[in-house]
Amino acid sequence: MRVRDENKERIIRDKAIKIIVEKGFDGLSMQKLARAAGVSPATIYIYFKDREDLIERISIEEVEKMTQATLKGFNPDMPFEKGLRKQWENRLQFWMNNPVTARFMEQVKHSPIGHKVQMKVKQEFSEIMGLFVKNSIKKNELVKLPLEVYWSVAYAPLYNLIKFHLDGKSIGSRPFSLDKKTFNTAFKTVIKALTPPKA
């Protein structure tokens, strides 16, 4: 029986993510992965049953990492503006520190395996975020909106700015780099849109 090598397993996982980001799920084969990782195909099967098992396990692991990073220093009892800002800061930091992994997870989310992965990942994140929204509405710090509308207003602006930053360009190929001023302007605009009107 061959001994598991954690470093080798990490290399296999990292190379698999890189290939999927660059070539898509259809571009990943065990032969290509073995060549990229500098191992034999047989070595990959020490760690993973097959290609589907590899993709699923990597996806679950990376989603759990992102969840932990997103919840760092966050509490669902925080005032809405403070809590949403912490979410923006955590999500931005995760994308900046893990751009390849973040793009990989975007692909997973929009793939047939996305739902399966979400079902296997702990529900803690959804419960905490749901409680944060409920608390904020209860305290009259947040307007009540359908979930899809709330997410689109609360988070989509941040993710668009991050994507512009990682691409190095925005609309019309204009050079773009996300700075603190732009971050703050976008955040204040979102808060304004989500804050209930004063009586």
Side-chain angles (χ1 to χ4, degrees):
M1 182 176 175
R2 296 176 68 177
V3 179
R4 295 172 71 92
D5 180 331
E6 286 185 11
N7 185 52
K8 199 169 281 186
E9 184 178 0
R10 183 72 263 164
I11 291 169
I12 291 168
R13 287 171 180 266
D14 290 346
K15 292 297 181 182
I17 290 171
K18 189 169 186 289
I19 291 170
I20 290 170
V21 168
E22 292 176 355
K23 308 289 185 183
F25 288 101
D26 291 340
L28 178 70
S29 71
M30 294 307 228
Q31 291 287 344
K32 284 182 184 175
L33 177 56
R35 282 196 299 273
V39 299
S40 70
T43 299
I44 298 175
Y45 290 103
I46 295 171
Y47 308 102
F48 305 99
K49 286 188 294 186
D50 52 33
R51 181 179 173 278
E52 287 66 34
D53 177 57
L54 180 146
I55 292 172
E56 185 176 314
R57 283 174 51 198
I58 290 174
S59 299
I60 290 170
E61 180 184 286
E62 297 306 322
V63 167
E64 287 179 339
K65 277 185 191 172
M66 184 189 73
T67 298
Q68 289 172 7
T70 304
L71 292 176
K72 187 177 181 182
F74 175 79
N75 187 306
D77 294 324
M78 284 177 160
F80 180 68
E81 183 171 348
K82 184 177 179 182
L84 186 64
R85 187 174 189 91
K86 173 54 71 174
Q87 281 294 298
W88 272 46
E89 290 169 350
N90 286 350
R91 291 169 192 242
L92 175 63
Q93 185 174 18
F94 182 83
W95 271 78
M96 294 299 105
N97 293 341
N98 309 277
V100 177
T101 299
R103 287 186 187 272
F104 165 72
M105 287 190 295
E106 282 291 299
Q107 286 174 282
V108 169
K109 185 166 70 175
H110 299 293
S111 75
I113 197 177
H115 179 68
K116 190 176 180 182
V117 169
Q118 287 301 323
M119 293 299 289
K120 290 198 174 186
V121 173
K122 293 177 183 177
Q123 293 301 307
E124 178 190 17
F125 180 73
S126 296
E127 290 171 5
I128 289 174
M129 296 312 298
L131 183 58
F132 173 60
V133 169
K134 285 178 185 176
N135 287 343
S136 298
I137 292 171
K138 201 173 185 179
K139 291 183 285 187
N140 199 36
E141 296 172 343
L142 170 65
V143 291
K144 190 173 183 179
L145 295 167
L147 176 61
E148 297 80 5
V149 176
Y150 167 73
W151 192 94
S152 297
V153 176
Y155 296 107
L158 171 65
Y159 285 120
N160 277 329
L161 289 173
I162 291 171
K163 286 173 185 175
F164 287 156
H165 177 83
L166 293 176
D167 289 342
K169 57 187 177 182
S170 67
I171 300 162
S173 295
R174 289 172 29 143
F176 181 83
S177 178
L178 180 56
D179 56 25
K180 192 171 182 180
K181 182 180 178 183
T182 304
F183 178 94
N184 287 333
T185 298
F187 181 75
K188 286 176 185 175
T189 303
V190 166
I191 288 296
K192 187 176 179 181
L194 293 174
T195 300
K198 292 181 180 178

